[in-house]
Amino acid sequence: NRLALTGLRDWALLVGQVTGVVVLGVFQAVFYLVVGLSSGVEFESGPAGIAVLLVYAALVSIAFAALGAWLAFRTGSGETIQALFPVLFVFLFISSMNTPRDLIDVEWFQTAATLNPVSYMLEAVRSLIIEGWNWEALALGFGFTILLALITIPLAARALRTRMTRT
């Protein structure tokens, strides 16, 4: 187990991993913003909405980086992480990613999308672009994202600590 041989403190390793994901996530958000704005997308929430979107992208990146780190440190296996990808990816498909929840006609799918926190994360972004300042959508999106981060960061830290003490 080479991770136990690293000279870094466990918190520094976790912060470095999460920071890398946040930089990549914000870079991707900026890229999509530039493409969208150059192709004529207008933000109903204005320039302040763009700033909020970038902050939101950083928070989502932190939450999902910690989730990924927890799974990686907990399992210690790249193959297991690759096998978990389809399980986690299904949360995108059973969400309001492609269609707003109120326009979903199939009852079981609408119920699943309503119960899925990813729907609210996506609707926060959608609200900034299409609706403007929808405070309910933003509160739910930020709330679920922060809740995910508050759950997964300590889990990742504990899993890393455990992984680094194993022999």
Side-chain angles (χ1 to χ4, degrees), residues 90 93-95 104-116:
V90 82
F93 286 109
I94 307 218
S95 72
I104 298 174
D105 290 334
V106 181
E107 186 176 339
W108 72 266
F109 190 79
Q110 186 179 40
T111 302
T114 300
L115 295 173
N116 187 350

Side-chain angles (χ1 to χ4, degrees), residues 56 121 137-150:
Y56 186 66
M121 294 176 182
L138 290 172
L140 287 168
F142 273 92
F144 279 115
T145 302
I146 291 168
L147 181 64
L148 180 63
L150 290 175

Side-chain angles (χ1 to χ4, degrees), residues 3-154:
L3 191 56
L5 298 175
T6 185
L8 290 174
R9 296 272 203 197
D10 54 354
W11 63 267
L13 186 61
L14 183 59
V15 168
Q17 290 286 330
V18 171
T19 302
V21 173
V22 170
V23 169
L24 181 62
V26 171
F27 177 78
Q28 289 174 338
V30 168
F31 177 78
Y32 282 111
L33 276 169
V34 168
V35 169
L37 292 172
S38 65
S39 63
V41 172
E42 294 181 18
F43 262 72
E44 288 299 316
S45 55
I50 293 173
V52 169
L53 182 65
L54 292 175
V55 169
Y56 186 66
L59 285 173
V60 168
S61 298
I62 289 169
F64 282 99
L67 175 64
W70 172 60
L71 292 171
F73 296 141
R74 182 75 174 98
T75 64
S77 165
E79 293 85 7
T80 304
I81 296 302
Q82 290 174 0
L84 284 172
F85 173 75
V87 175
L88 296 173
F89 200 64
V90 82
F91 281 100
L92 280 177
F93 286 109
I94 307 218
S95 72
S96 61
M97 177 177 69
N98 293 316
T99 307
R101 283 181 298 128
D102 57 340
L103 297 178
I104 298 174
D105 290 334
V106 181
E107 186 176 339
W108 72 266
F109 190 79
Q110 186 179 40
T111 302
T114 300
L115 295 173
N116 187 350
V118 175
S119 291
Y120 301 102
M121 294 176 182
L122 293 167
E123 288 168 7
V125 174
R126 188 179 291 142
S127 74
L128 287 170
I129 299 168
I130 297 172
E131 301 172 31
W133 295 101
N134 181 339
W135 298 108
E136 180 182 4
L138 290 172
L140 287 168
F142 273 92
F144 279 115
T145 302
I146 291 168
L147 181 64
L148 180 63
L150 290 175
I151 292 170
T152 56
I153 290 171

